[in-house]
Amino acid sequence: VNGSGAPPDGTRPDFTPALGYRALTPLYDAAIAALTREHVWRARMVAALDLRAGERVLDVGCGTGSLLLALSAAAPATFLMGVDPDGDVLKRARAKAASADIAFAHGFFDESFIAREGRFDAVVSSLVLHQTPIETKRSLLAGMRRALKGGGRLCLADYGRQTGLMRLLFRASVQALDGVEDTQPNADGVLSELLREAGFKTIVEVEQIRTATGSICIWIARPS
Ligand SMILES: C[S@@+](CC[C@H](N)C(=O)[O-])C[C@H]1O[C@@H](n2cnc3c(N)ncnc32)[C@H](O)[C@@H]1O
């Protein structure tokens, strides 16, 4: 699938590459595995979602597809789709998912994507919002709410409020790679408020997981 929001070749894409710099993308999976306890938080997301056969699931900013693969292993009878504007990470995702039934869309998650692909029973997104400007955090969350069917749920995992040692580790790792401007609102704890602003009525903080790169928080949010 090629989304209309795909950045045309040769232009500077207005997103931060998965590991901060395009040249580091080949190291992304190894870095996330080594530094974020990904087996813990991805498994917690899969459990919190509790997917049912036949459900449609969208991963916004799916990157190299690791979460979709975990979902596919846990709930093979679901329709799984990932969207990401970065062709490099999608190439890796497609290779990793060669034997799984997962659809990938190249492009930004925006209104035209939602209009084209329809609504989903569950939307997931991991480690995306800390890399985006505050207005993009707002518009992505509002889009995620609009992309949900009535009764659907969003499962979000990202760096949340950082305190004490977690704040120091976050500064030394994530902020060193991704910069301070986009990441600081997360560290200040803005995401719960942004979920409310986006129209989610039931917001549950499922767990906070302490990692070598800061604290990663998992939320389940519902529009009603
Ligand atoms: C740090 S990576 C996380 C990848 C993956 N979700 C994971 O858990 O490993 C952030 C991803 O968000 C993507 N992204 C940034 N802006 C986006 C947008 N507006 N719509 C969809 N994806 C976006 C980037 O291309 C990148 O692949």
Side-chain angles (χ1 to χ4, degrees):
V1 183
N2 236 316
S4 59
D9 290 344
T11 60
R12 181 187 167 279
D14 60 349
F15 61 89
T16 301
L19 208 54
Y21 297 91
R22 191 161 285 291
L24 296 181
T25 297
L27 304 177
Y28 180 79
D29 279 354
I32 295 300
L35 299 173
T36 76
R37 300 176 69 201
E38 78 167 325
H39 59 289
V40 176
W41 60 263
R42 291 203 199 276
R44 198 71 189 89
M45 289 181 84
V46 171
L49 274 163
D50 190 22
L51 293 175
R52 303 293 149 98
E55 287 195 310
R56 283 169 52 83
V57 186
L58 174 68
D59 186 350
V60 174
C62 64
T64 60
S66 301
L67 181 59
L68 286 165
L69 280 171
L71 292 171
S72 167
T78 49
F79 171 81
L80 299 173
M81 176 177 241
V83 58
D84 201 293
D86 184 343
D88 290 347
V89 292
L90 277 188
K91 208 166 134 191
R92 289 170 189 276
R94 287 193 172 106
K96 280 162 67 178
S99 59
D101 194 8
I102 299 173
F104 291 100
H106 183 201
F108 286 94
F109 173 66
D110 54 16
E111 281 311 310
S112 68
F113 174 89
I114 298 168
R116 195 173 57 247
E117 301 299 340
R119 316 255 163 214
F120 293 81
D121 299 286
V123 172
V124 301
S125 188
S126 53
L127 306 187
V128 174
L129 296 179
H130 74 277
Q131 291 189 323
T132 67
I134 188 86
E135 279 318 314
T136 309
K137 296 184 207 296
R138 286 198 168 91
S139 61
L140 284 174
L141 287 171
M144 291 178 202
R145 185 185 52 71
R146 280 194 294 279
L148 281 174
K149 292 180 185 172
R153 68 273 195 211
L154 166 68
C155 186
L156 196 66
D158 211 330
Y159 294 97
R161 186 183 297 284
Q162 307 294 324
T163 56
L165 174 64
M166 290 297 108
R167 186 169 276 267
L168 293 179
L169 291 172
F170 185 70
R171 269 194 203 130
S173 56
V174 176
Q175 292 195 309
L177 281 173
D178 294 336
V180 172
E181 190 177 340
D182 298 343
T183 57
Q184 192 59 39
N186 282 57
D188 292 339
V190 80
L191 284 187
S192 294
E193 182 53 34
L194 294 187
L195 281 164
R196 260 186 296 280
E197 268 181 34
F200 289 96
K201 301 281 189 294
T202 310
I203 301 162
V204 178
E205 201 179 289
V206 177
E207 195 164 333
Q208 286 190 31
I209 295 147
R210 292 166 71 86
T211 83
T213 54
S215 173
I216 292 177
C217 188
I218 296 171
W219 291 264
I220 288 276
R222 297 172 192 274
S224 53

